[in-house]
Amino acid sequence: MNKLIKLVFVLVIFPTALIAQASKQKYQYHIDLLHMSDDEVTVSFTPPRNTLKEGKFIIPKLVPGFYQAMNFGQYVSNLAATDKKGKKITVERLDQNSWMVHDLKNVHRISYQVADGWDSLKQNTQGAKSAGSTFKKDSVFVINYNSLVGYFEEMKDIPYQINITKNKDFYASSALDYQQKDKNTDIVYAKDYRQLVDSPVLYCVPDTTWLKIGHTEVLVSFYNKKERHYSKKIALEIENILKNQQAYLGGTLPVNKYAFLIYYESSNEKGFMGDGLEHSQSTVCLYRSGNMSFLPNALNRVASHEFFHIVTPLNIHSGEIQHYDFLNPSMSEHLWLYEGMTEYATIHMPIKQKMISLEDFEKSLEEKIKGMKEFDNSLSFTEISKNAMERQDQYMNFYQKGPLLGLCLDIRLRELSGGKMGTQDLMLQLMKKYGAGKYFNDGDLFDEITAMTFPEIRTFFRDFVEGTQPVPLKEYLAKVGFNYDEATGKVSLSPNPDLKQTALRKAWISQ
């Protein structure tokens, strides 16, 4: 098969208010991974105590970071409600992703079946597999709770208790802390639906390695049907990346725990397919190929990008992300920040930390330039971002043109500050101002950044992010002693840079 890489970056932000887990105002779920029928998992729950005559039960239509409807309700069947005596209560299916449950105040139990969201990575269906769940009895379960667990529209921001019946030899790899009630039962708590959906879990016989990077605990969990004891090799590769990211981010990683959940499926075909889903404290990576030799290098790239998402949008995000609507979300205009600046940090960090050569850095810039040319660059980035669901044909340009805009912003900041401030410093300042529990207003961000930096930066955003002027690569790369040939797309060091260019380049990439 042709080489195919699909990477989807998903972020869910959770509010600061924590409701006690012991409260009776919680969703109490049971998920049975042990007794399956026709590749379906049985799910049941008791709703929070309430006095409602009816309630709208929702399984997400889509999740943050996706810009097409995933319709996770399509995998749910036979949803039924009963009271304490086992008497059926009326339920109406409103559409693919929602149900109206009548006499909700007297509902004691709601149950349903959930089908496997992907049987094999080989299938080329709409949407990424990593956003769904797969169930392989007595083998492996990749669980994204957005495909198994729902909520009532009238009862949001309420804690969850999830009881999971599973194979006694299985281990739950997740950013959440799973407690073992007995050999076949785990219990996990989430402070609300956002945190639950934000925390996928890989259930299987464990092949895990723990890392400690500063104060951050990092779990690397690996599954392959045949290969065992491979997580340690992957962890050694990831450790180097994270230590350099720690230095790049000022000496501290802005998270206490992180989990890499890696599923690998063997194939006789050439090339490999990758499908990745990112969360605020974990990432799920699905791979399929003929051999595993590519894995460490592929995961290095993913590990770097996904971990930088801890900065944005986990710690820097707008109200549209903070108050995400799983049925009808409003899009933020700042994908240039969430994806573009994250990808820029991914290519800037290795050269700044002296992990790669100048030639490799030049090559990475050339790849982004080539990728950018495949899209319509006469469009406003803020407009594409606000209309990301309608303009999916342009979405991937946030990973091509986006980091090139980040590069120019970084050089401009260095120029205006005499080399003392760049995008690294800007992102740290934004994290201090906002953080995980606060958000900015979408329309105010450019003015906020301008107030933190220089008046000229507002012009930069007006021209190149809100506006449609071409990315000024040739002009800005020249400021730091690089030549950019617009005809060939080649980037190279200037043979005779002056002292000003050399000093600015030193401030920019430490070389």
Side-chain angles (χ1 to χ4, degrees):
M1 64 183 284
N2 293 328
K3 181 178 177 182
L4 172 62
I5 304 176
K6 295 191 293 182
L7 297 176
V8 183
F9 311 109
V10 179
L11 259 289
V12 185
I13 309 302
F14 25 100
T16 55
L18 177 61
I19 307 172
Q21 293 172 352
S23 168
K24 293 183 179 180
Q25 277 298 104
K26 64 184 176 184
Y27 290 90
Q28 298 187 63
Y29 261 85
H30 178 249
I31 299 173
D32 190 345
L33 306 181
L34 196 57
H35 307 96
M36 293 177 57
S37 177
D38 299 324
D39 292 330
E40 291 187 337
V41 166
T42 297
V43 178
S44 61
F45 74 98
T46 300
R49 292 174 61 181
N50 67 89
T51 58
L52 298 170
K53 292 182 178 179
E54 61 182 20
K56 185 177 181 180
F57 180 69
I58 293 168
I59 297 286
K61 179 179 180 180
L62 67 170
V63 290
F66 281 90
Y67 299 96
Q68 59 182 1
M70 301 293 289
N71 294 312
F72 295 104
Q74 68 181 297
Y75 305 112
V76 174
S77 61
N78 302 321
L79 192 146
T82 56
D83 63 16
K84 286 185 177 181
K85 295 182 179 180
K87 182 181 178 181
K88 283 191 175 183
I89 292 177
T90 302
V91 175
E92 298 175 69
R93 189 160 195 163
L94 303 178
D95 53 38
Q96 201 165 28
N97 302 292
S98 63
W99 295 254
M100 184 60 70
V101 179
H102 295 265
D103 195 21
L104 185 56
K105 64 181 181 293
N106 288 317
V107 171
H108 176 66
R109 185 172 181 267
I110 294 175
S111 63
Y112 49 90
Q113 277 72 50
V114 180
D116 191 317
W118 48 280
D119 294 324
S120 169
L121 290 181
K122 186 177 180 180
Q123 295 176 345
N124 185 22
T125 57
Q126 290 251 338
K129 299 287 191 297
S130 54
S133 300
T134 191
F135 317 132
K136 300 183 187 300
K137 187 177 181 181
D138 299 325
S139 180
V140 62
F141 293 82
V142 179
I143 294 176
N144 281 286
Y145 284 105
N146 46 266
S147 63
L148 282 89
V149 173
Y151 63 95
F152 281 98
E153 191 173 58
E154 297 82 3
M155 293 186 284
K156 298 180 180 178
D157 301 327
I158 293 176
Y160 280 74
Q161 176 184 320
I162 311 292
N163 295 267
I164 298 173
T165 303
K166 49 85 180 184
N167 184 307
K168 65 181 177 60
D169 297 320
F170 279 9
Y171 173 76
S173 295
S174 174
L176 288 180
D177 294 320
Y178 283 68
Q179 303 168 20
Q180 190 174 35
K181 182 179 179 181
D182 55 52
K183 66 180 183 179
N184 287 118
T185 309
D186 285 348
I187 298 176
V188 67
Y189 296 93
K191 59 185 177 183
D192 54 32
Y193 190 72
R194 292 174 178 86
Q195 186 185 28
L196 185 68
V197 170
D198 194 37
S199 306
V201 58
L202 172 63
Y203 259 110
C204 61
V205 175
D207 177 6
T208 59
T209 300
W210 284 91
L211 300 170
K212 191 70 178 290
I213 312 294
H215 73 282
T216 304
E217 293 184 330
V218 179
L219 170 63
V220 179
S221 183
F222 179 81
Y223 172 81
N224 176 248
K225 187 175 182 179
K226 297 179 180 179
E227 183 71 34
R228 302 292 301 157
H229 311 298
Y230 196 74
S231 65
K232 186 174 181 179
K233 182 176 182 179
I234 294 172
L236 289 173
E237 298 287 338
I238 290 175
E239 184 175 26
N240 182 49
I241 289 284
L242 298 186
K243 284 183 175 178
N244 280 283
Q245 283 185 306
Q246 179 180 253
Y248 185 83
L249 291 172
T252 303
L253 295 174
V255 66
N256 292 322
K257 182 180 178 181
Y258 198 89
F260 291 95
L261 312 180
I262 303 155
Y263 173 99
Y264 176 78
E265 188 174 290
S266 300
S267 166
N268 294 323
E269 298 155 346
K270 293 181 179 179
F272 75 92
M273 188 187 82
D275 185 352
L277 180 152
E278 188 274 342
H279 293 274
S280 61
Q281 288 186 270
S282 58
T283 184
V284 176
C285 301
L286 313 178
Y287 291 102
R288 177 184 173 89
S289 77
N291 65 75
M292 297 169 64
S293 60
F294 77 93
L295 260 179
N297 185 56
L299 283 165
N300 270 349
R301 183 77 176 179
V302 171
S304 183
H305 184 105
E306 307 316 337
F307 216 90
F308 273 127
H309 267 303
I310 294 172
V311 177
T312 178
L314 173 59
N315 281 284
I316 310 168
H317 57 270
S318 70
E320 283 77 6
I321 292 177
Q322 179 82 10
H323 305 296
Y324 190 83
D325 184 333
F326 289 91
L327 271 184
N328 299 293
S330 298
M331 298 293 117
S332 169
E333 66 180 36
H334 295 296
L335 277 171
W336 71 272
L337 173 71
Y338 309 142
E339 298 301 346
M341 288 303 299
T342 299
E343 183 64 11
Y344 172 63
T346 303
I347 63 175
H348 183 239
M349 184 270 288
I351 188 67
K352 189 74 181 286
Q353 297 301 122
K354 297 181 172 60
M355 298 173 66
I356 61 172
S357 66
L358 276 171
E359 290 77 11
D360 287 337
F361 180 59
E362 291 165 358
K363 190 177 297 184
S364 68
L365 297 183
E366 290 169 359
E367 289 173 355
K368 294 301 181 187
I369 293 167
K370 182 180 178 181
M372 176 180 67
K373 291 179 178 179
E374 297 177 3
F375 296 92
D376 185 350
N377 291 288
S378 67
L379 300 172
S380 162
F381 247 27
T382 51
E383 287 300 313
I384 300 173
S385 185
K386 286 293 289 183
N387 298 284
M389 290 188 68
E390 294 76 26
R391 296 310 309 263
Q392 293 175 44
D393 60 317
Q394 299 298 316
Y395 171 73
M396 291 305 294
N397 204 16
F398 285 104
Y399 303 93
Q400 309 299 329
K401 180 180 176 180
L404 297 175
L405 282 169
L407 176 151
C408 292
L409 177 61
D410 197 0
I411 292 172
R412 185 64 170 141
L413 286 170
R414 295 285 179 190
E415 180 184 33
L416 292 168
S417 66
K420 295 179 181 179
M421 180 186 187
T423 52
Q424 286 171 266
D425 310 277
L426 172 63
M427 300 303 271
L428 290 173
Q429 287 185 29
L430 287 169
M431 275 201 295
K432 287 179 182 178
K433 181 167 185 175
Y434 296 107
K438 295 176 67 177
Y439 61 90
F440 58 79
N441 293 321
D442 225 41
D444 296 340
L445 182 62
F446 292 135
D447 291 332
E448 297 260 3
I449 292 175
T450 301
M452 289 180 174
T453 57
F454 307 93
E456 293 88 344
I457 294 302
R458 190 65 185 87
T459 303
F460 179 93
F461 288 128
R462 184 197 66 206
D463 292 344
F464 306 118
V465 184
E466 294 172 295
T468 59
Q469 291 189 30
V471 183
L473 277 174
K474 188 175 183 66
E475 175 190 353
Y476 279 63
L477 284 172
K479 295 175 187 289
V480 288
F482 280 89
N483 288 326
Y484 167 49
D485 188 325
E486 293 180 309
T488 64
K490 294 294 181 182
V491 176
S492 60
L493 274 177
S494 304
N496 299 300
D498 59 31
L499 291 176
K500 185 177 179 181
Q501 290 171 313
T502 303
L504 193 56
R505 185 174 72 222
K506 181 78 172 177
W508 176 45
I509 58 173
S510 299
Q511 296 190 45

